[in-house]
Structure formats: structure tokens, C-alpha cells
Amino acid sequence: EVQLLESGGGLVQPGGSLRLSCATSGFTFSSFWMHWVRQAPGKGLVWVSRVNSDGSDTFYADAVKGRFTISRDNAKNTVYLQMNSLRAEDTAFYYCAGGKRGTFPDYWGQGTLVTVSS
Amino acid sequence: QSALTQPASVSGSPGQSITISCTGTSSDVGGYNYVSWYQQHPGKAPKVMIYDVSNRPSGVSNRFSGSKSGNAASLTISGLQAEDEADYYCFSYTSSTTLVFGGGTRLTVL
């Protein structure tokens, strides 16, 4: 059974940092592209970032470029999202997702909530 | 990286067909055959229904179909069922090597 489990969400003050993790199982993690997608409560999906299968290529949405860093540990079947200089508009559920192709993810986690507020 | 344009809502009666449009530019939808569609029920994770414009993943009903013409893609659901009521999002690769979602469409089955 494919499983993706996000963790690390919570309440953080504006300007603060948070590191999300996504532990996976049930598929060949080292062959998959991994993505982070966010969704503000009651709003639509927004693509945030993706990383290729060996971690050598990373891509970001303009809204997070320079503040967020995606990385992965294929030995631990885990992908990360380091989020710095957080803003109120970063408040959202953050989903990790994976796919054999970099152009769309097949498998999704259930999300972790990040709230940026003073 | 502007979001792709979708209608906010569509509706249809059981058994009918509906089409959801997704309009982009030549730098995203029009430039690549990398459009996918996601279904999301309230409180649930998204599920891919169509990928590469018109391909269905294993297990997805053949009532779902996708197409593209120029800078616009479409998702058609035939034989509407109550379980199809959900939010639908288009998703495209872009010339900036990033990806972008549409704003989402709420489908109501009357």
C-alpha cells in the first residue's frame, strides 16, 4: 500500500522557519519525482516545488523561490521542505505528492497544516 | 506563473454530461501536452483523473475524458453520478519548467 505521511506543520510567527517532512512507503521512492503542493483553507491548490528522483534538480514557484528549499533523502524514503522567512500568506495545508514523471504526481499524502500568525 | 483559468462552478443532473474548461497560454497549456486533471472531495487529497491531456490512469472510470485545443484544455464527465460532485483542478507544465494549477471548479450534481 502506498503511503505518504507529512509532518512538521504547526503555528509559527511571521519571519520564522519550519521544516516539513514527508515519509513514504509502498513505492520505489528513489525513482519518483516528489512535489509539495499547498492549499489555503477553503481555497484552491497551488503548486510549490518539485525535486527529481536523485535530488539533483529542484524547481520552485515564484512565490516561494529564495525562501523555501526542497530536498530528499532516498535512503530514508523521505522528502523535505525547509520554509524560511514565512509570511501570513504561506498559511495552508501542505501536501507532499509523488510521480514517476515530473509533470504530474500520482500519489498524495493527507497534508499538514502550517499557520503563520503572531 | 498565473493560475490557469477555470469556471468557478458547473452543475448537471445525474446522467447528463458536463465539460470543464481550462484556459492558459502558449507558455503552458498550449505549449505542451502535459495537462492533467485532479478531483478533490472535501477534506480529501486530490486524485489524478486525466494526465497528458487525454490519458486515464488505471482505475479511473471511462466516463472521464480530456482534450485540448490551442491554449485551452477540457475535462468532460459523461453519465454524471452523485459521487462525481467534487472540486476539479487542471494542472499544466510551463515553459519556466514549473507547474501551475487552475483556480478550480466546483461541480454540483443536481
Side-chain angles (χ1 to χ4, degrees):
Chain A
E1 180 189 7
V2 171
Q3 291 190 335
L4 295 86
L5 184 61
E6 302 94 338
S7 61
L11 176 64
V12 61
Q13 292 188 338
S17 297
L18 214 54
R19 188 197 196 200
L20 305 183
S21 300
C22 175
T24 74
S25 61
F27 63 99
T28 309
F29 179 79
S30 59
S31 298
F32 274 59
W33 285 76
M34 295 301 296
H35 304 251
W36 287 96
V37 173
R38 68 186 181 185
Q39 185 171 34
K43 302 297 185 181
L45 299 171
V46 176
W47 177 81
V48 172
S49 180
R50 63 176 178 150
V51 59
N52 68 344
S53 57
D54 67 7
S56 60
D57 283 328
T58 59
F59 305 85
Y60 301 92
D62 286 346
V64 307
K65 196 176 298 182
R67 300 188 299 125
F68 289 11
T69 301
I70 190 171
S71 62
R72 65 190 296 159
D73 185 336
N74 284 351
K76 296 182 178 180
N77 292 340
T78 300
V79 63
Y80 306 96
L81 187 68
Q82 176 67 42
M83 304 186 295
N84 299 331
S85 303
L86 282 162
R87 306 166 180 167
E89 54 265 36
D90 296 318
T91 294
F93 287 94
Y94 283 74
Y95 293 97
C96 78
K100 290 183 180 179
R101 307 245 312 273
T103 50
F104 74 98
D106 299 273
Y107 304 142
W108 292 70
Q110 290 303 308
T112 185
L113 179 61
V114 171
T115 303
V116 184
S117 175
S118 55
Chain B
Q1 290 180 351
S2 299
L4 307 175
T5 300
Q6 298 181 232
S9 63
V10 298
S11 63
S13 299
Q16 289 186 331
S17 294
I18 63 94
T19 296
I20 299 171
S21 61
C22 170
T23 304
T25 69
S26 58
S27 295
D28 39 62
V29 173
Y32 309 92
N33 288 325
Y34 295 140
V35 177
S36 50
W37 288 90
Y38 289 87
Q39 175 193 66
Q40 186 182 33
H41 287 108
K44 299 295 186 181
K47 173 186 176 183
V48 61
M49 308 303 283
I50 296 288
Y51 67 93
D52 293 353
V53 175
S54 59
N55 293 293
R56 268 189 316 276
S58 173
V60 172
S61 171
N62 59 10
R63 297 185 299 105
F64 291 82
S65 62
S67 63
K68 191 184 87 166
S69 178
N71 295 338
S74 297
L75 173 71
T76 297
I77 309 174
S78 59
L80 268 181
Q81 300 179 359
E83 68 207 48
D84 299 333
E85 186 162 292
D87 294 327
Y88 291 85
Y89 296 88
C90 58
F91 187 55
S92 176
Y93 180 77
T94 83
S95 59
S96 303
T97 67
T98 60
L99 296 158
V100 63
F101 280 100
T105 299
R106 173 70 52 88
L107 169 62
T108 301
V109 180
L110 302 170

